[in-house]
Amino acid sequence: MGNTKIIALFNNKGGVSKTTTTYNLGWMLSLMGKKTLIVDSDPQCNLTGICINSTKENKLEDLYKSDLSNIKSSIEPVFSGDPEPIKAANCVEFKGNDNLFLLPGHIQFSSYDTTYNIAETMTGSLNLMKNVPGALRRMLELTAEKYSLDIILIDMSPSISATNANILMQSDYFIVPCAPDYFCYMAIESLVSIFPKWCETYKKMALNEIFQSATYKMKDKPPVFLGTIQQRYRPRNGSPARAFADWIADINNLVADKLIPILTANDMFCESGDKGSYEEPYNLINIADFNSLIAQSQEHNTPVFLLTQEQVQKSGTVWDNMKRNRDEFYNTFQVLATRIIEAIEM
């Protein structure tokens, strides 16, 4: 796999624009010369839907019947007891962008959760389970070699599941996208106790002789927290409006006061680099609400910052405003991508 870095985007609360951010960030990283794979691990398959044309339901059926891989089929040999080894995924390629790839999601990917759970609790026949925890990472390593990838972004589902524990713990880094509200605040509060449990579980598994004898070995270090992304707020004069600003401040303080000490104690965070230009020390960036641009982005399978006047079919003042917003999002995602590249290449 070389220097390929796997970055998971996770929040156990839904509706924080995690999928939209993964999609737009993947595009920006690819435009900046990084060969990037975006992985849809959410059974809702929204990332896959943003990337493929036409109606999502029809396209998913066609996709599953094609020779392209998806997250479920790519690791199926391990879960079905098939003696066939795991191979590199056959990914979706993007027209006009040689640096970006998609590993589609599968609506039944959550059916693997029971197997992940059994492996975690070390019950049943361990010999049958020993390759389960390291399977996804191994498949991604092989895929990285096949496509010469620099970065892999994983869009995770908003749940505290054994599957998500595996995805996060086998990643190199992770980001927590946030929305400025009470429910996201409570979700961050819950992560303070969830992350240590996941760390402890995987530490025990890594020390188990049977898992140590696996063909697909687990990663021996936990992932490193890169920061939050504060998004889904309405701007006023270039900054979040008051009500949103208060929640953003509360969440940033919660991260600094409670989450960072817990992550540091579990080797999931290391203070590094000059963060003088950051909105907050542990917040990678603020991203305002996409408003009408999001519908246009989804309709045209185009990142918000690359939408054209021809696509949105607006003129005059309306287009001028949309273009200004579009260009601001381009700058925002460029800053975000730059900060992530700097953090993982240190």
Side-chain angles (χ1 to χ4, degrees):
M1 185 161 111
N3 292 319
T4 311
K5 299 294 192 295
I6 301 174
I7 306 172
L9 283 87
F10 174 67
N11 190 327
N12 49 317
K13 182 202 178 294
V16 294
S17 286
K18 178 174 47 61
T19 298
T20 310
T21 297
T22 304
Y23 176 68
N24 284 277
L25 175 58
W27 262 92
M28 181 54 74
L29 287 166
S30 70
L31 293 178
M32 292 172 70
K34 299 296 180 184
K35 280 200 173 284
T36 305
L37 171 66
I38 51 177
V39 179
D40 191 351
S41 75
D42 189 338
Q44 292 183 64
C45 299
N46 290 332
L47 180 62
T48 307
I50 292 174
C51 296
I52 60 178
N53 294 312
S54 188
T55 61
K56 186 172 74 173
E57 290 76 14
N58 291 345
K59 271 290 177 178
L60 283 174
E61 285 304 316
D62 293 343
L63 204 63
Y64 299 156
K65 291 172 186 172
S66 73
D67 60 353
L68 290 166
S69 306
N70 61 68
I71 193 162
K72 183 173 182 284
S73 69
S74 60
I75 56 174
E76 196 156 28
V78 166
F79 287 80
S80 62
D82 195 324
E84 183 131 341
I86 281 181
K87 297 174 185 170
N90 189 19
C91 298
V92 175
E93 299 184 22
F94 288 75
K95 190 176 178 182
N97 187 346
D98 295 337
N99 282 340
L100 189 63
F101 307 90
L102 165 73
L103 179 59
H106 196 287
I107 51 177
Q108 293 176 7
F109 183 53
S110 57
S111 66
Y112 285 166
D113 199 57
T114 303
T115 311
Y116 276 119
N117 202 31
I118 292 169
E120 271 191 14
T121 52
M122 294 188 270
T123 58
S125 175
L126 269 180
N127 266 315
L128 289 175
M129 295 290 162
K130 67 180 182 181
N131 283 314
V132 167
L136 180 66
R137 184 175 176 90
R138 182 56 186 151
M139 179 273 295
L140 292 175
E141 288 172 347
L142 292 170
T143 306
E145 290 165 12
K146 176 179 176 180
Y147 293 99
S148 303
L149 299 173
D150 297 303
I151 295 172
I152 297 173
L153 299 177
I154 305 180
D155 180 25
M156 293 175 61
S157 68
S159 67
I160 306 301
S161 64
T163 303
N164 274 351
N166 179 261
I167 293 169
L168 190 97
M169 295 308 295
Q170 296 308 297
S171 298
D172 299 306
Y173 300 94
F174 68 101
I175 294 167
V176 180
C178 296
D181 59 35
Y182 170 78
F183 301 103
C184 186
Y185 183 93
M186 294 308 294
I188 300 293
E189 184 94 65
S190 70
L191 292 178
V192 173
S193 59
I194 289 162
F195 286 150
K197 286 176 186 170
W198 285 1
C199 262
E200 185 61 28
T201 297
Y202 272 79
K203 198 180 286 182
K204 282 181 183 173
M205 291 166 74
L207 293 172
N208 186 289
E209 286 182 12
I210 292 180
F211 286 125
Q212 286 177 349
S213 70
T215 305
Y216 309 131
K217 297 203 178 335
M218 284 185 284
K219 188 166 162 279
D220 59 359
K221 290 181 181 175
V224 173
F225 177 61
L226 291 178
T228 57
I229 298 174
Q230 296 285 357
Q231 48 201 62
R232 287 196 70 108
Y233 63 83
R234 288 196 198 95
R236 182 171 293 162
N237 301 323
S239 298
R242 178 65 190 271
F244 298 105
D246 288 347
W247 275 117
I248 288 172
D250 286 346
I251 291 170
N252 284 339
N253 289 335
L254 179 64
V255 169
D257 296 343
K258 287 194 176 180
L259 188 60
I260 291 297
I262 285 292
L263 293 175
T264 304
N266 286 276
D267 298 322
M268 295 176 79
F269 179 74
C270 119
E271 193 80 64
S272 60
D274 175 18
K275 296 182 178 177
S277 63
Y278 282 33
E279 283 73 7
E280 290 287 330
Y282 312 113
N283 179 33
L284 287 163
I285 204 153
N286 292 337
I287 304 176
D289 201 301
F290 295 116
N291 293 322
S292 60
L293 288 177
I294 189 64
Q296 299 286 356
S297 170
Q298 291 171 352
E299 181 182 344
H300 298 288
N301 305 109
T302 303
V304 288
F305 51 76
L306 291 183
L307 286 166
T308 64
Q309 186 174 9
E310 184 181 31
Q311 286 173 321
V312 301
Q313 296 184 334
K314 301 291 181 184
S315 58
T317 307
V318 175
W319 166 243
D320 289 343
N321 288 335
M322 291 180 90
K323 183 178 182 295
R324 185 169 62 252
N325 287 339
R326 178 200 68 180
D327 294 345
E328 283 176 6
F329 283 123
Y330 188 98
N331 293 335
T332 297
F333 275 96
Q334 194 171 48
V335 170
L336 174 59
T338 300
R339 287 175 176 173
I340 289 170
I341 291 167
E342 287 173 352
I344 66 177
E345 289 185 350
M346 285 186 65

